[in-house]
Amino acid sequence: MVSYVAKRLFYSIFVLIGLSILIFTLTRIIPGDPARLALGPLAPEWAVERLREKLHLNDPLPVQYIIWLKNAIQGDLGESLVSKRPVVKDFLTYFPATLELVIFSTIIATILAILIGAVAGRYANSWFDNLARIFTYIGISVPGFVWAILLLFLFGYIWKVLPTMGQLSPGLPRPPVRTGMMSIDALLVGRWDVFIDHLKHMILPALCLSIGRIAQESRILRAGIIENLKKDYIAAAISYGIPERRIMLSYLLKPSMIPMVAVMGMDIAGSMGGSYIIETIFNWPGFGRYSLWAMLNKDLNATIASVMLMGMFFAIFNIIVDVIVAYLDPRIRVMERAT
Amino acid sequence: MSENLLEVKDLYVNYKIYEGILKVLNGVNLTVKKKEKVGLIGESGCGKTTTMKAIMRILPDNALIPNGNIFYKGRDILKMSDDEIQKIRRENISMIFQDPTAALNPVLTVGAQLMDVIKYSTDEELTKREIRELAIKALKDVALPDPERILKNYPIMLSGGMRQRICIAMALISAKELLIADEPGTNLDVTIQDQILRLIGRLVEERGISVILISHALGAVKGLVDKVYVMYAGDIVEMAPTEKLFSDPIHPYTQALFKTVPKLTGGGIPEAIKGRIPDYINPPKGCRFAPRCIHAMPICMKEKPPLKNIEDEREVACFLYE
Ligand SMILES: Nc1ncnc2c1ncn2[C@@H]1O[C@H](COP(=O)(O)OP(=O)(O)OP(=O)(O)O)[C@@H](O)[C@H]1O
Ligand code: SF4
Ligand SMILES: [Mg+2]
């Protein structure tokens, strides 16, 4: 298992280098002068030129990239042109909120996907399955930001039971920052009221990030269950007199979940991507919102850093998912050992 | 050897598929007495597995049973409550599936599966340790070396022969009265297949249970069972004590079947009889073998020959013996 993970990490490095070249080139060739944008239209030409020089914007692209890479390896991703702080510092400030949101939405998505997929698959073509099917088609085809707008309208104007903006209701104190994830920080100081209020704020944005995933993952699980229900090993387990509940939970659900878990890595990454817009809509002070700002303002270092850091988590989540899949599926472990 | 343990009566099974309804079992009749060893032979696709799955009540969802009874000690399995059939599965009848690789769950260890079978095979509350010991004993009984290690293995880590033995071990636990063995060892090479069949023969003998043995290895069947049923396209066409059937087959299908098998070599059932098993959506109206039968008469196209007792312990379904 260790060599399995090591191999994945090793491949990830190449992916990340490829990604960095791509995003680096893209940010440099899209029109607009970042130095001018950073300093504003009234800044004198010499100041702009000095900033260009400082950012190495006058050097050839490969030289710029090498300089960036050298610094990046040492953990220096440069300064944000907007916040005027090191990008890494901004990342540490904003990312925990995003991670918290993504984890929360992953929990919601996974629980609901398993419940819906398992019941729909076990009782295929029942009224529940048909209802789930309709939900799936809608869930897969409607993008997250449309849900965001709908939910905002619903809960912001019509049925005001859930907060729609920010992380905390006015009047409640922010817990001291330790992990950066407010739910955990609140628990660390024993403020249940803050914790609950914060969770409530998380529900709508997390839901927007989850709906598509629930639709897709439940569908995959349903297909797996229907497929595996026909397998001889299920008939065999029944013929040995093993109780149905036991068969459903360990003989059927475990193998059926493998393809679903396999796509979860991509889906978690998708939620990270989705957070750019969802955080902006729900005014969630996370790294997604920060990154969207950086891009709109042509904040070079922040843009590249945000893409790279997101890419890194993308890779990490995928490795975690691969490990879980290998845990669920001994066939993969055996093959891995054989190679 | 007189009491009927299992009695399949006039059993019909259809499969619903996209193209229509497959009328597979066409009134199967079959009895197994206490401690009796029964062989079941017939070409691929004639409905052997279907009959066995009906007995265990594990037919797939698209199967329909328009008619028939399956009496187990006088009670109809098809009419039993879920609890009753569950008890029969746990304690009385069990089945060795045709393909051991498919019959073992790929994501659970052999130990997890075997110990589940043991745990649920009795109403007694066994401790973890007792279950484990029984599992090890079950593996030893089927002559598997190093049972401790096998318990920890996943099926994929084991050879085909070992998987077959594990399936036998699992089935034997809850086959306290009747074991159904569906082509055991068919996918393995001939010497291992032979070992497997002899192992089953010995275990069945030791435990004094009944067995239905489905096999293409006619030579091996010969030495293991008391009587043989011959099946063709969803019909039982002939039944006779083993010796009689092999020395003097009387149904045209059985005769054709044996003619194509070189005597004594015990090879498999070849596809060399002219023609093929009929299409189950529109099966022949009368005798299902008529399109391939060299003795076919006009009545054979119109009516289905009933399975009749023609002498002691001997049955045949053919108009030649009216
Ligand atoms: N689930 C199913 N759906 C539709 N048709 C089926 C199904 N299972 C079996 N059949 C068909 O029913 C017929 C009998 O199948 P069965 O498996 O009982 O044959 P068999 O005698 O066991 O053959 P083999 O020796 O190949 O195992 C075949 O034509 C098969 O295609
Ligand atoms: S009933 Fe007629 S067709 Fe069928 S086996 Fe006998 S002779 Fe042949
Ligand atoms: Mg079969």
Side-chain angles (χ1 to χ4, degrees), chain A residues 8-42:
Chain A
R8 291 301 148 101
L9 277 172
F10 185 69
Y11 290 143
S12 307
I13 292 173
F14 288 97
V15 173
L16 288 177
I17 289 177
L19 179 66
S20 69
I21 293 174
L22 185 71
I23 187 65
F24 197 88
T25 315
L26 276 177
T27 51
R28 308 283 145 151
I29 60 175
I30 48 174
D33 180 354
R36 171 57 74 189
L37 269 172
L39 297 177
L42 298 179

Side-chain angles (χ1 to χ4, degrees), chain A residues 273-290:
Chain A
S275 71
Y276 283 47
I277 290 186
I278 298 302
E279 284 182 2
T280 307
I281 295 177
F282 287 97
N283 207 15
W284 188 266
F287 196 61
R289 193 184 66 161
Y290 171 89

Side-chain angles (χ1 to χ4, degrees), chain B residues 251-253 287-291 293-297 300 305 317-320:
Chain B
H251 191 280
Y253 172 67
C287 172
R288 284 191 171 182
F289 188 55
C293 181
I294 50 170
H295 305 292
M297 303 168 281
C300 307
C318 172
F319 288 122
L320 290 175

Side-chain angles (χ1 to χ4, degrees), chain A residues 233 241 246 251 254 330 333, chain B residues 86 89 102 105-107 116 154:
Chain A
Y233 58 73
R246 172 112 187 116
Y251 288 74
K254 195 175 169 199
R333 292 204 295 271
Chain B
Q86 195 71 357
R89 289 174 184 146
N105 196 309
V107 303
D116 261 359
Y154 289 91

Side-chain angles (χ1 to χ4, degrees), chain B residues 14-285:
Chain B
N14 297 341
Y15 288 112
K16 234 174 85 185
I17 58 169
Y18 178 74
E19 292 81 3
I21 292 181
L22 299 173
K23 302 179 195 78
V24 176
L25 295 195
N26 189 34
V28 167
N29 285 285
L30 179 155
T31 56
V32 181
K33 296 189 178 113
K34 259 198 176 148
K35 300 198 181 186
E36 193 175 28
K37 292 176 230 131
V38 177
L40 178 59
I41 61 175
E43 272 165 289
S44 182
C46 70
K48 304 181 295 294
T49 301
T50 301
T51 310
M52 298 306 122
K53 286 195 170 169
I55 295 170
M56 301 276 355
R57 230 168 82 178
I58 50 170
L59 283 170
D61 282 344
N62 65 334
L64 303 166
I65 305 182
N67 193 18
N69 306 94
I70 301 173
F71 293 109
Y72 189 73
K73 292 185 184 164
R75 306 258 306 108
D76 191 346
I77 282 180
L78 298 176
K79 297 200 177 75
M80 284 180 185
S81 69
D82 286 350
D83 284 347
E84 277 176 288
I85 180 67
Q86 195 71 357
K87 193 168 167 64
I88 299 255
R89 289 174 184 146
R90 288 193 288 138
E91 298 180 359
N92 306 61
I93 318 178
S94 201
M95 173 161 165
I96 302 166
F97 277 64
Q98 187 162 350
D99 176 359
T101 303
L104 290 169
N105 196 309
V107 303
L108 301 177
T109 60
V110 170
Q113 300 180 59
L114 180 57
M115 290 197 273
D116 261 359
V117 178
I118 294 171
K119 180 172 170 193
Y120 295 110
S121 69
T122 164
D123 290 330
E124 273 174 69
E125 277 289 327
L126 297 170
T127 63
K128 274 233 165 75
R129 203 183 152 149
E130 286 168 323
I131 293 176
R132 208 184 144 74
E133 268 156 23
L134 286 171
I136 288 171
K137 184 178 172 305
L139 292 179
K140 279 186 183 152
D141 285 350
V142 293
L144 277 167
D146 203 355
E148 306 263 354
R149 184 181 59 87
I150 290 176
L151 285 183
K152 283 188 228 127
N153 282 164
Y154 289 91
I156 195 181
M157 302 167 174
L158 303 166
S159 73
M162 290 165 109
R163 283 179 220 162
Q164 179 70 72
R165 281 167 200 268
I166 288 161
C167 287
I168 296 172
M170 287 166 75
L172 276 171
I173 287 159
S174 33
K176 295 188 187 82
E177 291 177 333
L178 171 63
L179 177 70
I180 296 170
D182 193 353
E183 300 191 26
T186 297
N187 305 326
L188 306 170
D189 77 62
V190 188
T191 49
I192 299 184
Q193 180 180 5
D194 226 51
Q195 284 174 13
I196 297 278
L197 286 170
R198 267 186 285 131
L199 174 75
I200 292 175
R202 200 194 64 198
L203 288 165
V204 163
E205 191 68 42
E206 275 173 18
R207 292 170 193 221
I209 57 178
S210 309
V211 66
I212 301 177
L213 177 65
I214 300 174
S215 184
H216 285 183
L218 299 183
V221 171
K222 218 167 161 175
L224 283 173
V225 299
D226 307 319
K227 71 179 185 194
V228 179
Y229 282 93
V230 182
M231 203 167 176
Y232 177 79
D235 280 312
I236 297 289
V237 295
E238 180 166 6
M239 185 282 284
T242 312
E243 271 313 311
K244 269 192 199 162
L245 185 88
F246 281 93
S247 59
D248 176 28
I250 59 174
H251 191 280
Y253 172 67
T254 321
Q255 290 170 347
L257 189 66
F258 289 171
K259 231 175 263 164
T260 55
V261 182
K263 279 254 150 53
L264 293 174
T265 56
I269 293 178
E271 308 284 322
I273 310 172
K274 255 180 87 186
R276 301 182 47 234
I277 283 199
D279 142 27
Y280 283 121
I281 296 184
N282 295 303
K285 231 182 99 216

